[in-house]
Every structure is written in C-alpha cells, then in structure tokens.
C-alpha cells in the first residue's frame, strides 16, 4: 500500500476534534508539510469523536482511497489514531506517503502504559529542557501510547538546582 498526500484538509467539528486536529497540524508542520487546512465541512483527514468506541485508549482508523478517518471516544483516542498514521507515513522531499495499511480497530494490551519523568539534577537531560521541550516530550510519549506520567519530585537539599536548570 502506498497512498501519497499532497494536501492535508482536516475535517473536525467538536471542540475535542478541533483540539486533536490542531495537534495533528502541528506535528505535520514539524515534518515540513505546509499545505494544511482545518474546517468543519470536508476533508481527506476526518476526526470523529465516537461514543461507539469502547474505551478512551482505543481508536479506529478507516482508509477509503485517499480519505482517512480517525475515531476515538475522547481526544486521547484521536491523538493515538493520528500518531499511528504518522508512524506509518514517510515524509520526504515534499511528499507524504502512507506505506502500510492502517485500517482497523486498535486497543492497548495493557490498561496502564506509563513513564516517569522529573525535573531535578540527576537525570542529566530533563534539567536543561524548556517548557516547549517538555510539551513535545509529552506529545511523543502519547504518540507511542503512554497514558500515564509520574513526576518524580526533587528533594529539598543542597543539590536542588544545578547550572543547567532554567527554572526554580
């Protein structure tokens, strides 16, 4: 399967659909896609909040020619759905090519899929990040199916801050 996209017309109507569509738009722009529009009447990428989906972590994707529809019970399911599309698409030389069949209903094997993160002197990376880098990290975790994040706090001792830490 190879479906090529030259434009991304995104259809989203409800507030959750629009929020997911804007995140999708942002991820497309990071991949150098420029021909993107969001509207509530038509599109080749359609976002659907669907009460028929069993769980907020489940999602459904349908591909019909060059029209792709993402279904989720909540915005979380829509994020998981469009992330699945992004992982199976090659973005190169102003081309976007879906290289695998992605139609289907998807459900995680485990109920809790989490990650730990902390702003402290010990991780050697997180302490140098700014807010935008943290936000992108959260999006990346969601793109690969994480639904839980645990923040490991700092200990109020003499090593509370180092020279890399940008924030109190």
């Amino acid at each position: 399967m190879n479906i090529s996209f030259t434009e991304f017309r995104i259809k989203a109507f409800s507030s959750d659909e629009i929020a997911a569509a804007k995140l999708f738009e942002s991820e497309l722009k990071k991949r150098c896609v420029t021909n993107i529009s969001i509207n509530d009447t038509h599109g080749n990428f359609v976002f659907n909040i669907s009460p028929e989906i069993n769980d907020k972590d489940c999602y459904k994707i349908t591909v019909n020619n060059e029209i792709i529809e993402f279904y989720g019970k909540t915005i979380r399911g829509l994020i998981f759905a469009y992330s699945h599309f992004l992982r199976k698409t090659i973005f190169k030389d102003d081309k976007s090519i879906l290289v695998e069949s992605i139609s289907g209903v998807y459900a995680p094997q485990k109920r809790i899929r989490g990650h730990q993160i902390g702003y402290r002197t010990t991780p050697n990376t997180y302490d140098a990040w700014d807010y935008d880098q943290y936000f992108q990290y959260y999006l990346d975790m969601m793109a690969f199916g994480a639904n839980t994040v645990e923040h490991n706090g700092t200990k109020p001792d003499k090593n509370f801050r180092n020279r890399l830490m940008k924030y109190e």
Side-chain angles (χ1 to χ4, degrees), residues 1 4 7 20 26 34-35 43 65 81 88 91-93 101 110 121 125 139 166-167:
M1 161 184 263
S4 182
E7 62 182 336
S26 171
T34 57
N35 196 0
N65 295 322
K88 303 301 180 184
F91 298 89
K92 186 176 181 183
D93 299 329
S101 176
K110 305 280 185 197
T121 59
T125 56
L139 291 175
K166 299 176 182 184
Y167 310 106

Side-chain angles (χ1 to χ4, degrees), residues 2 27 38 52 62 79 82 116 120 131 136 143-144 168:
N2 281 344
E27 290 299 318
I38 299 174
E52 296 172 9
T62 61
I79 291 170
Y82 80 66
Q116 294 178 328
R120 56 185 189 220
Y131 291 117
Q136 183 60 49
F144 287 95
E168 292 289 332

Side-chain angles (χ1 to χ4, degrees), residues 18-143:
I18 291 168
K22 287 182 179 180
L23 289 170
F24 182 52
E25 175 186 36
S26 171
E27 290 299 318
L28 290 170
K29 286 180 178 177
K30 291 172 190 168
R31 290 157 176 81
C32 299
V33 175
T34 57
N35 196 0
I36 309 167
S37 63
I38 299 174
N39 66 72
D40 63 358
T41 56
H42 63 281
N44 57 342
F45 290 86
V46 182
F47 284 72
N48 298 293
I49 293 292
S50 174
E52 296 172 9
I53 301 294
N54 293 337
D55 185 87
K56 60 186 172 184
D57 287 349
C58 299
Y59 59 94
K60 176 181 173 183
I61 301 173
T62 61
V63 179
N64 186 3
N65 295 322
E66 293 181 11
I67 297 177
I68 297 182
E69 293 191 63
F70 302 126
Y71 297 87
K73 187 177 190 97
T74 65
I75 187 173
R76 182 188 298 182
L78 293 177
I79 291 170
F80 291 157
Y82 80 66
S83 296
H84 190 128
F85 166 80
L86 293 174
R87 290 192 310 272
K88 303 301 180 184
T89 303
I90 295 173
F91 298 89
K92 186 176 181 183
D93 299 329
D94 296 331
K95 293 180 183 176
S96 305
I97 302 169
L98 177 62
V99 295
E100 285 187 34
S101 176
I102 59 172
S103 290
V105 177
Y106 299 88
Q109 291 180 347
K110 305 280 185 197
R111 189 172 155 269
I112 296 175
R113 300 161 321 278
H115 189 71
Q116 294 178 328
I117 189 170
Y119 186 69
R120 56 185 189 220
T121 59
T122 54
N124 299 323
T125 56
Y126 306 144
D127 53 352
W129 289 359
D130 62 23
Y131 291 117
D132 291 336
Q133 289 167 313
Y134 266 100
F135 185 72
Q136 183 60 49
Y137 192 65
Y138 276 93
L139 291 175
D140 292 346
M141 285 189 290
M142 285 189 292

